[in-house]
Amino acid sequence: TISREDLIASVLELHADIEGLEDDLRPSGRVNELFSRLVSLCLHRCEIDFGNPEHVPAEVARVRGSLIRLCGKAEGLLEQHYARILGDMPEPHNSFHLFPYYSNYLKLAMLEHHLLLGAAAAFSATAAASSSPELSMDKVAFIGSGPMPLTSIVLAANHLRNAVFDNYDLDPQANELASRLVASDPDLASRMRFHTCDILDVGQEMASYDVVFLAALVGLDQDLKRKILKHLSENMRPGASLVVRSANSARAFLYPIVDLSLLQDAGFQVLSVFHPTDEVVNSVIVAKLTNT
């Protein structure tokens, strides 16, 4: 265990070192070491209430915002690096385990699938008592898929073996790298599509999805996250599931926190919230769009 004061002091120190490398956060011995130390530190069970100024002074809140941005930048560069390496292999799908955090994706995808099954069971019970259609998981959208769309890949290969996945990302290079990773696998290639666009420009198409995943780094600030959630609620079909990645306690130095009120205000019913205690960093929120 570590005290809140000691953890915050260590995070501030690491932030200073990481910020000094901002011009080049590509994978290297030094970059890998600093981020590994940061992640290990933030995995400690140490309660930090980021809504409480006594827990989180203004300077710490500022550093947290900077760290989330730096972590996102470094994560993107790490994924690009490995997507290029794997994409040059004859069968990239047989070497995903080379990605340093692949085991985390295996655990996270299993967790999210389990939570979705629970939500589907609850929804089916409700649907049985009404005229609502039964929930399926045949068509999935992943918003913010990046150059290493491992959640979609793991879900498609291990859990949702008949589902079609539409992956959305702003970066055309990310989508090009991602499509190369599945091109040599006939099954994955036939069920995965990649779209370069802003999700705020995707309208009626969202109503065709049974499940929508929202990556943690899509909408770094609360205002943009609120705007995205509102857009999804206006275009998804009632009863469809939304899986949102968030963060809790010290892990919120790495990823944004999604306040449940943002979902509720947008018209989503929160069905479950899970905060991991192992090496998986992201919290998971499963919600469904209520009838509007």
Side-chain angles (χ1 to χ4, degrees), residues 94-115:
N94 290 327
S95 300
F96 290 139
H97 63 277
L98 296 177
F99 185 68
Y101 298 105
Y102 180 62
S103 63
N104 286 19
Y105 280 93
L106 290 175
K107 291 178 180 179
L108 184 55
M110 182 181 293
L111 166 64
E112 289 171 332
H113 182 242
H114 177 76
L115 292 173

Side-chain angles (χ1 to χ4, degrees), residues 4 15 20 45 58 65 87 102 116 139 146 184 200 219-222 237 240 244 248 253-254 263 268:
R4 184 174 70 247
H15 171 257
R45 295 189 184 186
Y102 180 62
L116 275 169
K139 192 171 182 186
S184 65
L200 293 174
L220 289 184
D221 62 75
Q222 293 287 294
R237 66 171 176 80
V244 179
N248 183 53
F253 278 114
L254 308 172
L263 287 154
F268 290 96

Side-chain angles (χ1 to χ4, degrees), residues 18-285:
I18 292 170
E19 194 174 35
L21 298 174
E22 182 172 5
D23 289 341
D24 189 0
L25 289 172
R26 290 175 297 177
S28 67
R30 180 63 172 156
V31 169
N32 297 347
E33 177 211 354
L34 288 173
F35 280 103
S36 293
R37 284 169 55 196
L38 179 64
V39 171
S40 296
L41 188 64
C42 293
L43 291 180
H44 278 94
R45 295 189 184 186
C46 180
E47 289 303 315
I48 301 178
D49 180 2
F50 281 94
N52 184 344
E54 293 182 4
H55 274 214
V56 185
E59 174 60 14
V60 177
R62 184 197 69 78
V63 166
R64 175 181 169 247
S66 175
L67 268 179
I68 289 173
R69 180 181 58 80
L70 291 166
C71 287
K73 185 176 180 180
E75 184 176 310
L77 291 168
L78 180 72
E79 289 192 10
Q80 284 180 23
H81 176 74
Y82 278 92
R84 289 192 179 96
I85 291 173
L86 294 173
D88 287 338
M89 295 180 176
E91 297 183 329
H93 56 278
N94 290 327
S95 300
F96 290 139
H97 63 277
L98 296 177
F99 185 68
Y101 298 105
Y102 180 62
S103 63
N104 286 19
Y105 280 93
L106 290 175
K107 291 178 180 179
L108 184 55
M110 182 181 293
L111 166 64
E112 289 171 332
H113 182 242
H114 177 76
L115 292 173
L116 275 169
L117 289 177
F123 183 83
S124 296
T126 303
S130 69
S131 58
S132 301
E134 189 170 330
L135 180 68
S136 66
M137 288 188 276
D138 295 329
K139 192 171 182 186
V140 180
F142 195 101
I143 302 168
S145 47
M148 290 282 292
L150 285 175
T151 297
S152 293
I153 288 169
V154 172
L155 285 170
N158 298 350
H159 304 291
L160 301 176
R161 295 180 179 173
N162 296 310
V164 172
F165 290 77
D166 281 328
N167 299 281
Y168 292 91
D169 201 278
L170 285 168
D171 184 356
Q173 183 185 56
N175 283 326
E176 181 182 350
L177 289 168
S179 62
R180 288 178 63 200
L181 295 178
V182 300
S184 65
D185 183 312
D187 175 54
L188 289 177
S190 69
R191 294 191 289 125
M192 289 224 175
R193 297 178 294 211
F194 298 91
H195 309 274
T196 302
C197 59
D198 187 330
I199 200 62
L200 293 174
D201 295 329
V202 182
Q204 294 180 342
E205 175 66 17
M206 297 308 300
S208 68
Y209 297 113
D210 302 309
V211 184
V212 176
F213 285 80
L214 184 62
L217 293 173
V218 176
L220 289 184
D221 62 75
Q222 293 287 294
D223 288 341
L224 182 53
K225 194 80 78 172
R226 180 182 292 107
K227 187 176 181 181
I228 291 168
L229 290 171
K230 183 64 175 173
H231 176 76
L232 292 177
S233 75
E234 291 170 348
N235 290 283
M236 289 170 61
R237 66 171 176 80
S241 295
L242 177 67
V243 181
V244 179
R245 289 181 179 169
S246 180
N248 183 53
S249 197
R251 298 162 193 243
F253 278 114
L254 308 172
Y255 291 104
I257 297 171
V258 180
D259 195 289
L260 298 184
S261 66
L262 293 183
L263 287 154
Q264 293 159 345
D265 292 346
F268 290 96
Q269 177 187 350
V270 176
L271 299 178
S272 59
V273 181
F274 186 87
H275 300 304
T277 56
D278 59 7
E279 65 270 24
V280 174
V281 175
N282 289 123
S283 297
V284 179
I285 304 167

